[in-house]
Amino acid sequence: MNQTNQIWVTEFLLLGLSDEPQTQLLLFPLFMGVYLVTVLGNLLLISLVLIDSQLHTPMYFFLCNLSLADLFFSTNIVPQALVHMLSKKKVISFIGCAAQLLLFLIFGCTQCALLSVMSYDRYLAICDPMHYPIIMTWKVCSHLALACWASGILVSLVDTTFTLQLPYQGDNKIAHFFCEAPALLVLASGDIHKAETAIFLMGVVILLAPLSLILVSYGSIIVTVVKMKTTSGRLKAFSTCGTHLLVVILFYGSAIITYMTPKSSKEQGKMVSVFYAVINPMLNPLIYSLRNKDVKRAFRSAVNGVKPFRL
């Protein structure tokens, strides 16, 4: 059929993770539980950083920004997915899909930049502790955080523009549970080569470049830690950096599989997306709180400081 005779898509149908109603009902409590833990965990971490003066350090400042990005990242996707799990018609408007795609990329790309800045912060703290307070001033930290959010917005605008400027005519069924660029490009009626190239190049900028900085930072950290004379110093350094490195592996690994590798099957793509879009925002506050003595101490202090209500 000639494209001029085809109807332009005004809404999309999200097929979700499964087309079986029973499976959707089983997934609903799982997604709801994960989302509640994500919201409560990240809000708790942000609150502890704000109220505990001992957590007013560059590392926790960046961690607070990461939790904020995680919170918005998950809220942009999961609530709608929950509604669709209980709905027969899983429809999202073209504008709604565009907004979800843009916000998803903003918060996701911002996380990538924040993780690289956090690795640089750990590098300075361990490899150059004498100059660390001089270099990582609050002004520098604020500028770095602002740069992370700005880079996330810039990359997301490029990816979203190249994805949505394509003609979408005819098929409007997205084989996914939210609007993501790779799933949308499959439905485009025109040539998607330029869009795929732009997304790949932006992936190099926001995924591979920060990952390279992280690897260099941790390479230097390992060399410095190995040279430490005291066992306690090595254990403390590895404990602090091990937490961050675990988050990096989980997030970057799943994102690179989606955006920087050859196309995988639809089902595999959805499963990977579930991990970094739903599971990972929940894991971040859990990993940092359960493996971090400072956060656990701040939590105990906050709990002990709350006086019981008496009539």
Side-chain angles (χ1 to χ4, degrees):
M1 183 183 292
N2 194 310
Q3 285 188 0
T4 57
N5 296 326
Q6 291 181 346
I7 300 175
W8 288 79
V9 170
T10 58
E11 63 181 22
F12 292 104
L13 181 64
L14 292 166
L15 299 182
L17 293 172
S18 174
D19 55 0
E20 297 181 5
Q22 291 182 343
T23 303
Q24 297 277 17
L25 291 176
L26 290 174
L27 289 173
F28 180 85
L30 293 175
F31 269 58
M32 176 63 80
V34 169
Y35 181 63
L36 289 176
V37 174
T38 299
V39 173
L40 294 176
N42 282 291
L43 285 178
L44 176 61
L45 195 54
I46 292 170
S47 300
L48 290 176
V49 172
L50 292 176
I51 65 176
D52 194 299
S53 59
Q54 293 186 43
L55 297 182
H56 293 174
T57 63
M59 183 179 78
Y60 292 106
F61 171 72
F62 294 127
L63 180 56
C64 193
N65 275 269
L66 182 65
S67 288
L68 195 63
D70 275 333
L71 187 60
F72 290 146
F73 189 63
S74 182
T75 300
N76 179 50
I77 297 169
V78 180
Q80 184 190 58
L82 290 171
V83 172
H84 284 174
M85 287 177 186
L86 301 179
S87 306
K88 292 184 177 179
K89 193 175 182 181
K90 304 171 178 60
V91 173
I92 183 172
S93 67
F94 188 93
I95 295 176
C97 185
Q100 187 180 61
L101 173 63
L102 178 63
L103 293 174
F104 166 77
L105 289 170
I106 287 176
F107 301 128
C109 293
T110 299
Q111 288 182 65
C112 292
L114 282 169
L115 288 172
S116 66
V117 169
M118 289 171 71
S119 71
Y120 176 67
D121 172 73
R122 290 301 83 203
Y123 160 76
L124 288 177
I126 295 173
C127 299
D128 194 7
M130 297 295 293
H131 296 94
Y132 177 71
I134 301 173
I135 298 173
M136 295 301 287
T137 63
W138 282 113
K139 182 177 180 181
V140 171
C141 291
S142 300
H143 288 171
L144 286 173
L146 184 62
C148 289
W149 286 94
S151 63
I153 293 172
L154 178 61
V155 172
S156 64
L157 285 173
V158 173
D159 282 0
T160 303
T161 300
F162 273 91
T163 300
L164 297 180
Q165 56 88 27
L166 294 166
Y168 289 91
Q169 299 168 312
D171 189 10
N172 70 335
K173 296 178 181 179
I174 301 177
H176 214 320
F177 65 100
F178 70 96
C179 292
E180 192 172 17
L184 274 170
L185 290 177
V186 175
L187 304 180
S189 304
D191 184 10
I192 64 173
H193 177 70
K194 289 183 179 179
E196 288 182 326
T197 302
I199 291 174
F200 181 84
L201 291 177
M202 289 299 100
V204 172
V205 171
I206 205 65
L207 285 174
L208 296 187
L211 183 58
S212 299
L213 175 61
I214 291 171
L215 293 177
V216 171
S217 297
Y218 277 100
S220 301
I221 288 172
I222 291 172
V223 172
T224 301
V225 170
V226 169
K227 292 180 180 178
M228 288 182 177
K229 296 180 180 180
T230 61
T231 304
S232 60
R234 287 197 297 266
L235 290 175
K236 184 178 180 180
F238 276 126
S239 177
T240 303
C241 297
T243 302
H244 179 228
L245 194 56
L246 180 59
V247 172
V248 167
I249 292 171
L250 293 174
F251 183 78
Y252 274 93
S254 53
I256 288 174
I257 290 174
T258 300
Y259 289 93
M260 303 298 296
T261 59
K263 294 179 181 178
S264 56
S265 66
K266 293 179 180 180
E267 293 303 316
Q268 181 182 346
K270 284 191 286 187
M271 291 303 104
V272 173
S273 295
V274 167
F275 184 81
Y276 67 74
V278 181
I279 304 298
N280 196 68
M282 176 193 69
L283 291 179
N284 284 351
L286 292 179
I287 291 172
Y288 279 108
S289 60
L290 293 177
R291 291 178 53 87
N292 193 297
K293 293 180 180 180
D294 292 334
V295 174
K296 288 189 285 187
R297 178 205 51 76
F299 178 73
R300 286 194 297 267
S301 298
V303 172
N304 294 332
V306 176
K307 297 180 179 180
F309 178 76
R310 295 179 181 178
L311 295 174

